[in-house]
Amino acid sequence: MLEHVQAHAGLANGLFFSGGTANCSRCVASGSGAAGLAWERGWQGTASHLLVLHGPEGVDGVDGANDSRGHDLEPRSRPVLANATLVHANPYGARASKGAGLRLGAGTALVARDLLVTGFRGGALDAGGRAALLFAEGESRVERALLYRNGHRPLRGGIATGVDFEDRYPRLRNILWEANPDRRPEARSPALPKTLPAEGTAEGTPPGAGQYVGAFGEYENWLEEWTFFAPESDYDTLAEDDGAN
């Protein structure tokens, strides 16, 4: 299990998995030059409470693949994304207009739930070829998603039947590209859970009720005390300060 990991200002992908079943919890990819999270060749792990935060250089939030040598090669990539927030923040760079929140190809499958995607001009979810067919076959699915301002066509590849989503303003506290971001939802956000019955387990409770959509609930900002989002040049300043002390 990988916990509390941040990949910041990488020139290519932020977090990358090639095969295996590695799990990542409270992982952050910020300021990546390509995708925030990428996988290939049979990755079947999980990413829970994932934040992808793109600045001007970012392209896709997530770029998933199975295997370019054979889209149905086993084991097939089929990760689980749970409580993920993918944000492409202003300002946009030259390549950002082509970036999708999730781009799936080369036969990858995907199970995602409680997913929040906003600001990707190339669409929220874009699946091609065999990866798109897996939604129709039930191998891939997205449950409880908030998709907002992700191009003119938020879903691409004919995958609508496998995606349970709402196109609503998520009311995040801050979506700008700046230091000390706060991606928690505001009190009236549709990302927050509906009120449960007193027992919380009454028969007929809607699936997913009581769970928030995205990587953050209303109260805990788990980025505090260990993440860093300032410009890379600030590292030199911090190092000098530490040396002086």
Side-chain angles (χ1 to χ4, degrees):
M1 170 68 80
L2 304 173
E3 296 183 281
H4 294 87
V5 174
Q6 180 183 18
H8 181 64
L11 297 179
N13 299 320
L15 304 166
F16 180 76
F17 295 97
S18 182
T21 58
N23 301 320
C24 187
S25 176
R26 285 176 166 74
C27 291
V28 179
S30 53
S32 304
L37 168 65
W39 67 77
E40 66 175 8
R41 298 190 179 183
W43 182 46
Q44 296 184 345
T46 64
S48 61
H49 291 87
L50 166 73
L51 173 64
V52 171
L53 177 58
H54 273 339
E57 303 305 318
V59 186
D60 299 324
V62 168
D63 184 4
N66 183 40
D67 199 317
S68 60
R69 300 169 300 174
H71 292 186
D72 286 319
L73 288 179
E74 298 288 345
R76 185 190 301 278
S77 295
R78 192 175 185 259
V80 175
L81 304 186
N83 290 100
T85 293
L86 314 178
V87 177
H88 208 311
N90 285 318
Y92 290 94
R95 298 186 300 158
S97 62
K98 300 179 181 180
L102 291 93
R103 189 178 303 279
L104 307 175
T108 186
L110 170 70
V111 175
R113 58 180 180 270
D114 299 312
L115 175 69
L116 194 159
V117 184
T118 184
F120 289 84
R121 294 184 174 182
L125 287 86
D126 188 336
R130 188 76 178 102
L133 293 176
L134 292 172
F135 280 87
E137 296 171 3
E139 184 74 7
S140 295
R141 64 183 184 275
V142 175
E143 303 169 354
R144 298 185 300 277
L146 274 179
L147 313 178
Y148 183 69
R149 286 190 175 177
N150 296 289
H152 299 296
R153 293 174 54 201
L155 303 181
R156 299 170 183 264
I159 62 175
T161 56
V163 181
D164 171 26
F165 78 99
E166 294 183 275
D167 186 351
R168 296 179 63 187
Y169 178 41
R171 293 185 176 274
L172 300 184
R173 300 187 186 201
N174 186 331
I175 61 168
L176 299 178
W177 175 245
E178 60 185 22
N180 301 318
D182 189 346
R183 278 13 184 210
R184 288 177 296 172
E186 297 176 353
R188 295 182 295 157
S189 170
L192 295 176
K194 298 178 176 63
T195 302
L196 286 173
E199 298 82 2
T201 56
E203 185 176 355
T205 298
Q211 302 175 2
Y212 54 82
V213 176
F216 302 91
E218 183 178 0
Y219 302 108
E220 181 193 7
N221 182 8
W222 49 261
L223 299 175
E224 293 179 339
E225 305 297 335
W226 66 278
T227 54
F228 189 88
F229 296 91
E232 188 174 352
S233 58
D234 286 5
Y235 285 106
D236 296 332
T237 303
L238 290 174
E240 292 174 0
D241 292 343
D242 289 342
N245 294 329

